[in-house]
Amino acid sequence: AIRMTQSPSSFSASTGDRVFITCRASQDIGSYLAWYQQKPGKAPKLLIYAASTLQSGVPSRFSGSGSGTDFTLTISCLQSEDFATYYCQQYYNYPFTFGPATKVDIK
Amino acid sequence: EVQLVESGGGLVQPGGSLRLSCAASGFSFSSYHMNWVRQAPGQGLEWVSYISSSSLTIYYADSVKGRFTISRDNAENSLYLQMDSPRDEDTAMYYCARDRSSGWPGVFDIWGQGALVTVAS
């Protein structure tokens, strides 16, 4: 199975900050990467797929980049509603695998 | 409104059985591939199983292969997960999730609210 890693595992930030979350795959997955946001007690929400395509309805302050094995989720101007946990996920092949998560909390 | 609603969760003994259901509404269920994804308490997300729109293609995570069975009834707009011989480590919130595209699978754009399964004696 393809192993996904994320960094950092957690960090604190302030509203208005530009933040970066990185994700690495254990092998080349092309652009078959998605990002999800999850808030406590809620189901995950799709943010980005195909590494850089914004899901409909997701604010444009979210963006994704990368291909192959290294990917980045960028939030250009952190808003209060963005404090949450973020997961990357590869869908290059089965089993689909998720990263271990990055938790963003308030500084 | 596009919606997925899981039911059937609860307490099950190790070695017992439990069937989860997921009712879909607001979209053409028969046109979409579907999945189950789980999340153990305080842990990350784990994909469990996939079923194509026609039920012709099915995949399982190694952790549940041979014990869980995914199925669907397109006439009833419903997805199922039969959990046989569950283990303590199967304790989790189980989400049904829709595949975004009828093409390359694996992007989950609609999620249910989850059904909590607790495996304990």
Side-chain angles (χ1 to χ4, degrees):
Chain A
I2 297 173
R3 190 171 68 92
M4 307 299 293
T5 56
Q6 287 182 235
S7 61
S9 56
S10 65
F11 66 96
S12 300
S14 300
T15 303
D17 285 352
R18 185 180 183 93
V19 302
F20 303 90
I21 298 171
T22 62
C23 175
R24 177 165 288 178
S26 61
Q27 67 180 72
D28 189 338
I29 60 170
S31 295
Y32 293 99
L33 185 100
W35 289 97
Y36 300 85
Q37 175 194 69
Q38 188 178 32
K39 296 182 179 178
K42 300 294 186 181
K45 172 187 175 183
L46 175 65
L47 299 176
I48 286 169
Y49 61 94
S52 60
T53 302
L54 200 65
Q55 170 69 354
S56 175
V58 174
S60 59
R61 62 181 179 274
F62 291 91
S63 64
S65 62
S67 66
T69 60
D70 294 301
F71 304 86
T72 301
L73 173 69
T74 302
I75 309 174
S76 61
C77 182
L78 201 65
Q79 301 298 300
S80 57
E81 59 267 33
D82 302 336
F83 293 100
T85 299
Y86 295 85
Y87 295 90
C88 63
Q89 176 234 333
Q90 68 80 20
Y91 55 101
Y92 178 75
N93 65 13
Y94 294 95
F96 302 136
T97 46
F98 291 88
T102 296
K103 184 177 181 181
V104 181
D105 60 25
I106 301 173
K107 184 181 289 183
Chain B
E1 179 191 3
V2 174
Q3 197 172 11
L4 297 170
V5 178
E6 299 93 340
S7 60
L11 177 65
V12 58
Q13 291 188 339
S17 65
L18 193 69
R19 189 198 201 198
L20 301 181
S21 299
C22 172
S25 60
F27 66 99
S28 178
F29 179 72
S30 62
S31 298
Y32 287 85
H33 311 315
M34 297 294 296
N35 299 264
W36 288 98
V37 178
R38 69 184 180 182
Q39 186 170 35
Q43 302 302 309
L45 300 168
E46 179 188 17
W47 170 80
V48 173
S49 185
Y50 160 94
I51 186 168
S52 65
S53 58
S54 61
S55 301
L56 288 179
T57 302
I58 288 174
Y59 295 109
Y60 296 100
D62 285 347
S63 58
V64 306
K65 198 175 298 181
R67 301 186 298 117
F68 291 8
T69 303
I70 192 172
S71 63
R72 64 190 294 162
D73 184 336
N74 286 343
E76 294 293 327
N77 294 326
S78 293
L79 175 73
Y80 304 101
L81 185 69
Q82 178 68 40
M83 305 172 61
D84 295 321
S85 301
R87 305 165 179 164
D88 291 350
E89 56 265 34
D90 294 321
T91 293
M93 183 71 78
Y94 284 76
Y95 297 100
C96 63
R98 188 182 82 169
D99 242 86
R100 189 194 71 84
S101 168
S102 59
W104 195 284
V107 178
F108 313 133
D109 68 337
I110 303 294
W111 297 64
Q113 86 289 351
L116 182 62
V117 174
T118 302
V119 183
S121 53

